[in-house]
Amino acid sequence: MKNFSRLSALAAVAVIAAACSSASATPTAAPSATPAAPSASAMASTAATPAPTAATLSGDVTIWEAYGASGQAERDAFDAMVDLVEHDNPGLNVTVLDVPFSDLFTKFETAAATGGGPDLYIAPNDNLPTEARSGILLDVSSLKDTLAAAPYNESQVALDAATVDGKLYEIPESMKAVGLFYRTDMLPTPPKTTDDWLTTLKSGTKLGYVYGANGGGAYYMWGLYVADSLQWLSDAKKAGLVLYQNDTDAKADFIAGKIAGFVDGPWMTGDLKTALGDKLGVIPGPTGPKGPFSPLSAPDGFYINKSSANSDLAINFALAMLTHEQVFVDQAGHIPANTSIQITDPITQGFADVIKTGFARPTAAELNNYWGNFGNAIVAVIDKGTSPTQAVSDACTAMDKANNK
């Protein structure tokens, strides 16, 4: 089987182009203003990590994040990391603004375009290509060798996914991909293949998937963009698959025991572990007849505002945060971009295994016109009963037209 993480961004376009040229294919199936003193456990987990620079950091730096949108665990871990950096650098004052994820990119892009906004922000690479090409992000290509070496040891996949048109515009922090969360008390043997999923659903056990314009279906369901794959999705819905517009509702039903599993990412790990403890498991999503589950694998990372008057400080702050990545791994289930960090939690390791067959999220300009068009195709099949073949044809036509093909 192909390891999609080794394919180039242009290969992603070729994959979808192949889908657009074929009427049928088998499914490959497939986001505190006043910090408290750092806890003793957080201090212990990172005390031996070297500082990013010989000199201590001083001055004011403002960072935006959106971790409040995915639950308390991520936000608490992020704040703990900021606390540690400030503890190590008494002359540093960090202002953190939690922005709703739905507003984060638009808010940053609007502010940065007029010379405003934070010194840096942390987010997935959703809007990385657009922001890089619009000139509002600082080119940090000079950091490539630094990030690849100790103590950062960042994977090539992470660095590739943070690169646009040959230049690095993101300092990767962690990797993300979606997998199947399942309750071990309701689903002792979780389904592994598309056929297994149908069998499980027909037995009366509920599973969930996120889709739709508000749920990012073209992301969660990456790989389900050919007719047979969408037909499988339609069949799964008829068999009892529960489709959600957002993962907040899916999480609530999962914790309540209304569904036995749902596809989502490691940003949910902290809250789900708190609620379910050892009743929580994770495996890859459904494997299709022609290959393994290959979700989009992409980094969360730090973006430096090109308009920042403190860009050097912002870069060094981001590097300092990376030296405390173990906190994010231990407390919030982040999959580190740093390949030397040890993972001891089985859920976090489960996502690390998912990422091994992941498809490095591309930054090719042509993919800008994939998300909306194929997201609409998924909605058309699920909500309107549109023929999968017609839905794919319509999406391909719209994508090709937008790309002047």
Side-chain angles (χ1 to χ4, degrees):
M1 302 298 179
K2 292 181 179 178
N3 182 345
F4 284 155
S5 65
R6 296 180 183 272
L7 297 182
S8 69
L10 290 178
V13 181
V15 169
I16 298 173
C20 291
S21 65
S22 174
S24 175
T26 49
T28 57
S32 72
T34 308
S39 67
S41 61
M43 290 288 291
S45 70
T46 58
T49 306
T53 59
T56 56
L57 308 181
S58 63
D60 298 330
V61 65
T62 299
I63 183 170
W64 290 357
E65 48 76 30
Y67 290 123
S70 58
Q72 197 62 36
E74 277 196 304
R75 179 64 198 273
D76 287 349
F78 182 82
D79 286 347
M81 292 167 68
V82 172
D83 294 347
L84 287 163
V85 174
E86 288 192 313
H87 180 272
D88 294 340
N89 301 276
L92 180 66
N93 178 50
V94 182
T95 299
V96 179
L97 178 64
D98 184 77
V99 179
F101 183 74
S102 59
D103 299 334
L104 179 63
F105 298 112
T106 301
K107 185 179 179 70
F108 173 76
E109 289 159 13
T110 300
T114 56
D119 297 300
L120 74 166
Y121 80 108
I122 185 169
N125 79 340
D126 297 29
N127 282 31
L128 171 64
T130 299
E131 292 180 355
R133 293 184 179 111
S134 68
I136 61 175
L137 298 179
L138 188 69
D139 175 1
V140 293
S141 299
S142 62
L143 293 176
K144 280 187 177 181
D145 290 344
T146 297
L147 292 170
Y152 311 110
N153 302 302
E154 299 212 333
S155 71
Q156 192 59 50
V157 172
L159 293 172
D160 287 347
T163 299
V164 179
D165 301 333
K167 296 179 180 179
L168 188 70
Y169 287 98
E170 176 186 12
I171 301 173
E173 172 267 321
S174 62
M175 298 297 292
K176 290 184 175 178
V178 297
L180 174 64
F181 281 114
Y182 69 96
R183 294 185 55 136
T184 59
D185 57 336
M186 297 176 65
L187 199 58
T189 304
K192 296 181 179 180
T193 69
T194 49
D195 286 343
D196 291 342
W197 272 58
L198 291 177
T199 299
T200 298
L201 291 166
K202 289 175 182 178
S203 74
T205 300
K206 298 290 187 182
L207 298 172
Y209 228 128
V210 179
Y211 84 110
N214 295 327
Y219 168 76
Y220 286 89
M221 295 179 176
W222 171 262
L224 299 180
Y225 40 60
V226 294
D228 281 5
S229 296
L230 289 177
Q231 184 60 57
W232 172 83
L233 188 61
S234 179
D235 292 343
K237 180 185 178 183
K238 293 176 183 176
L241 182 67
V242 183
L243 284 306
Y244 292 92
Q245 278 287 325
N246 62 78
D247 54 4
T248 300
D249 291 342
K251 178 176 72 171
D253 280 359
F254 182 65
I255 292 173
K258 295 180 180 179
I259 57 175
F262 74 112
V263 172
D264 215 294
W267 51 88
M268 288 289 178
T269 296
D271 285 358
L272 292 179
K273 284 176 60 180
T274 298
L276 298 174
D278 61 6
K279 295 178 182 178
L280 181 67
V282 67
I283 63 168
T287 291
K290 291 293 183 68
F293 181 72
S294 299
L296 286 175
S297 179
D300 260 23
F302 296 95
Y303 301 86
I304 311 302
N305 186 345
K306 191 174 182 179
S307 299
S308 169
N310 303 310
S311 58
D312 288 344
L313 179 60
I315 289 172
N316 284 317
F317 169 72
L319 294 176
M321 289 286 281
L322 292 182
T323 67
H324 296 297
E325 176 62 22
Q326 192 74 54
V327 175
F328 246 152
V329 174
D330 293 343
Q331 296 184 17
H334 274 213
I335 315 305
N338 185 332
T339 58
S340 69
I341 289 180
Q342 297 299 308
I343 298 174
T344 59
D345 179 75
I347 302 301
T348 305
Q349 184 58 55
F351 274 110
D353 292 340
V354 169
I355 288 171
K356 291 178 183 178
T357 59
F359 191 113
R361 183 167 178 159
T363 59
E366 290 87 347
L367 264 293
N368 289 344
N369 297 307
Y370 158 75
W371 309 105
N373 289 314
F374 279 87
N376 291 340
I378 291 169
V379 171
V381 172
I382 292 174
D383 287 347
K384 302 176 182 178
T386 302
S387 157
T389 300
Q390 185 62 52
V392 170
S393 176
D394 291 346
C396 287
T397 298
M399 182 175 174
D400 288 345
K401 180 177 180 181
N403 287 328
N404 296 316
K405 300 296 185 181

